[in-house]
Amino acid sequence: MNCAVKIIDEIYWLGTNDRETHLFENVWPLENGVSYNSYIIIDEKIVLVDTVKDTKMEEYLFKIKNLIGDREIDYLVINHMEPDHSGCITAISKEYPNIKIVGNSKTFDFLKEFYGEFPNLVEVKDLDELNIGSRTLQFYFTPMVHWPETMMTYDKKTKLLFTGDAFGTFGTLDGGIFDDEVNLDFYESEMRRYYSNIVGKFGMMVQRAIKKVSSLDIKILASTHGPIWRTNLNYVLSRYDMWSKYEPEDKDGIVIIYGSMYGNTKKMADAIARSIAEEGLKNVKVYDSSKTHLSYLINEIFRCKGVILGSCAYNAAMYHPMEILTTKLIHTGVKDRLFAAFGTYAWSGGGVSNLNKFAEAIKWEVVSESVEAKCSPKADDIAKCVQIGKDMANKIKAGL
Ligand code: FEO
């Protein structure tokens, strides 16, 4: 979309779609791309809210000029300093040298360290207000959602809340920019993958932020990524509330993830999955950690109540992808999952024993005894896998 799109009285979307970048933050796959949403308010004063990634600068400046012509921009409000949103601050400042940059003390620390000195800084405190003509903007600090400087900006006139990354999602905006113009089924999984991998560590801070803005009368949520929420606010708010409490979306969901060099640990995963199916549960997914990117695995663990992990031993430790997955899970602090472990070893062990240590460290409930087969699973190992499946299925059913 090469033009600004009107959202509501004097407020426009100035976002850009990124279908070129392979990895968000150079680590998270962008199979469906991502949008960088910037906004502009044209009141007596003209106010930009956040910018976009520097790779989109030309398109972004064109949209601005196309909309406001030769008028000056009075303010740039920075809700978040991560470069996917701050990447055009320098260009905007050069184009509009009299612009005043609005942020908090932490914003300005990052601003200086990323891009150097800027004149005309307007430092705001939590809940400060800025009148720009017919409306007043109010600033709500939401630290660690997901950087220290993050804040939200509320337009009292239209009851629109500019939320920064909060309520964002992976996935480009392919024509529709509002939640009622797009297929939400497309965004559901990508929103969880975005939340769980980018913001997931900061559940408690997200809870604080939700409580902080819950007293506001909010008609529109305008995030820096993905659709603008004007119809299904409860859809996105309830999901962020659930995920930030680490509550699984699918209480009957079970995910089995394994690391297997030659297919022996995989055989055990398949036996466990079959056993769960025989117990009558259908919401089961099995993943090979060598093939499926970590971000999708974390996404599935946020979705499911039951998590069964398997690893072969590799040089007296866990198999690398499983080691990375479990390290990331502890770092993220995912809570309250039902757990079981399985795997194989040839000479050293280290796969299953480290999975058991992981379970202890993350404090998940272990629902069945782990099984570790030597080289390849024999009949008694498979019988133990079947028992893992039964124990997990029964525990899941008991909680429904
Ligand atoms: Fe979309 Fe935290 O940047």
Side-chain angles (χ1 to χ4, degrees):
M1 284 165 282
N2 282 323
C3 58
V5 178
K6 186 172 182 177
I7 301 174
I8 195 168
D9 309 334
E10 301 107 17
I11 301 181
Y12 296 81
W13 173 82
L14 283 175
T16 57
N17 282 312
D18 185 347
R19 299 187 180 92
E20 302 81 48
T21 302
H22 288 272
L23 298 172
F24 188 78
E25 295 180 343
N26 211 21
V27 63
W28 313 112
L30 285 175
E31 286 173 50
N32 299 304
V34 69
S35 73
Y36 312 115
N37 299 335
S38 167
Y39 301 95
I40 191 164
I41 309 169
I42 305 177
D43 206 301
E44 283 173 33
K45 304 287 185 189
I46 296 186
V47 181
L48 265 185
V49 182
D50 290 315
T51 71
V52 297
K53 196 176 171 188
D54 59 358
T55 54
K56 297 289 169 184
M57 191 185 301
E58 199 178 324
E59 176 186 344
Y60 181 58
L61 290 174
F62 172 83
K63 280 186 182 179
I64 294 173
K65 290 280 181 196
N66 200 35
L67 184 68
I68 66 170
D70 292 332
R71 285 188 68 182
E72 287 290 309
I73 299 178
D74 299 281
Y75 295 102
L76 165 61
V77 173
I78 305 175
N79 282 331
H80 182 27
M81 272 300 298
E82 192 164 3
D84 53 335
H85 310 295
S86 64
C88 288
I89 291 176
T90 303
I92 288 290
S93 294
K94 282 192 180 140
E95 197 67 30
Y96 302 98
N98 297 319
I99 198 168
K100 297 182 179 70
I101 299 180
V102 180
N104 57 61
S105 61
K106 291 189 171 74
T107 316
F108 294 149
D109 178 42
F110 286 134
L111 184 66
K112 182 180 163 197
E113 298 297 336
F114 273 117
Y115 306 111
E117 301 278 359
F118 288 80
N120 308 325
L121 301 182
V122 179
E123 185 180 324
V124 294
K125 302 270 189 287
D126 192 20
L127 307 181
D128 272 1
E129 297 184 349
L130 177 69
N131 184 274
I132 58 168
S134 75
R135 69 209 330 126
T136 298
L137 303 178
Q138 189 168 25
F139 307 101
Y140 286 79
F141 288 12
T142 52
M144 302 316 299
V145 183
H146 62 124
W147 277 25
E149 87 297 358
T150 45
M151 64 183 198
M152 298 184 186
T153 299
Y154 182 62
D155 172 31
K156 292 184 161 187
K157 180 176 176 181
T158 58
K159 306 185 188 317
L160 183 151
L161 184 66
F162 300 101
T163 64
D165 280 346
F167 314 118
T169 173
F170 290 137
T172 48
L173 293 168
D174 299 338
I177 66 160
F178 297 103
D179 59 331
D180 49 63
E181 292 181 332
V182 300
N183 178 3
L184 288 182
D185 293 343
F186 165 77
Y187 290 101
E188 169 130 32
S189 180
E190 283 295 74
M191 190 191 306
R192 193 189 320 99
R193 189 167 70 92
Y194 174 84
Y195 176 85
S196 56
N197 288 280
I198 309 297
V199 190
K201 180 175 173 55
F202 303 105
M204 194 188 295
M205 286 71 169
V206 174
Q207 278 289 305
R208 269 189 212 145
I210 289 173
K211 281 193 181 71
K212 187 165 186 170
V213 299
S214 63
S215 59
L216 295 174
D217 181 11
I218 299 170
K219 296 277 190 272
I220 300 171
L221 291 167
S223 172
T224 45
H225 298 291
I228 297 159
W229 301 89
R230 66 179 180 185
T231 303
N232 304 287
L233 274 70
N234 196 44
Y235 175 97
V236 65
L237 281 165
S238 61
R239 278 164 178 73
Y240 260 69
D241 185 45
M242 176 172 51
W243 297 331
S244 57
K245 291 176 186 161
Y246 301 100
E247 288 175 2
E249 218 165 299
D250 291 351
K251 296 201 169 23
D252 66 340
I254 299 172
V255 59
I256 302 170
I257 302 167
Y258 64 86
S260 183
M261 276 187 283
Y262 295 104
N264 289 301
T265 302
K266 172 190 178 293
K267 283 181 194 161
M268 300 171 82
D270 285 333
I272 294 169
R274 179 64 202 154
S275 167
I276 294 167
E278 285 178 356
E279 291 300 317
L281 292 183
K282 297 178 182 175
N283 196 349
V284 183
K285 289 293 290 180
V286 182
Y287 293 95
D288 181 337
S289 62
S290 296
K291 182 181 174 193
T292 303
H293 189 273
L294 171 71
S295 65
Y296 294 92
L297 304 178
I298 298 280
N299 182 26
E300 285 292 76
I301 288 170
F302 265 71
R303 179 179 68 81
C304 292
K305 177 69 179 173
V307 180
I308 304 177
L309 302 183
S311 178
C312 56
Y314 196 96
N315 291 348
M318 248 188 268
Y319 194 48
H320 311 147
M322 296 305 295
E323 201 164 62
I324 294 166
L325 171 65
T326 49
T327 301
K328 171 75 174 161
L329 287 169
I330 287 182
H331 184 250
T332 305
V334 183
K335 298 180 191 3
D336 297 330
R337 295 301 189 268
L338 303 174
F339 180 73
F342 64 98
T344 55
Y345 74 104
W347 46 269
S348 68
V352 173
S353 61
N354 280 305
L355 280 174
N356 287 333
K357 281 183 196 159
F358 156 76
E360 217 174 298
I362 204 165
K363 299 188 175 69
W364 289 355
E365 183 182 345
V366 178
V367 301
S368 191
E369 196 179 333
S370 61
V371 50
E372 186 170 38
K374 185 168 171 59
C375 296
S376 67
K378 318 297 185 301
D380 60 329
D381 301 312
I382 294 296
K384 287 176 185 167
C385 290
V386 169
Q387 190 59 46
I388 286 178
K390 279 185 181 170
D391 289 343
M392 180 61 82
N394 288 330
K395 193 77 186 179
I396 290 279
K397 283 193 270 187
L400 294 178

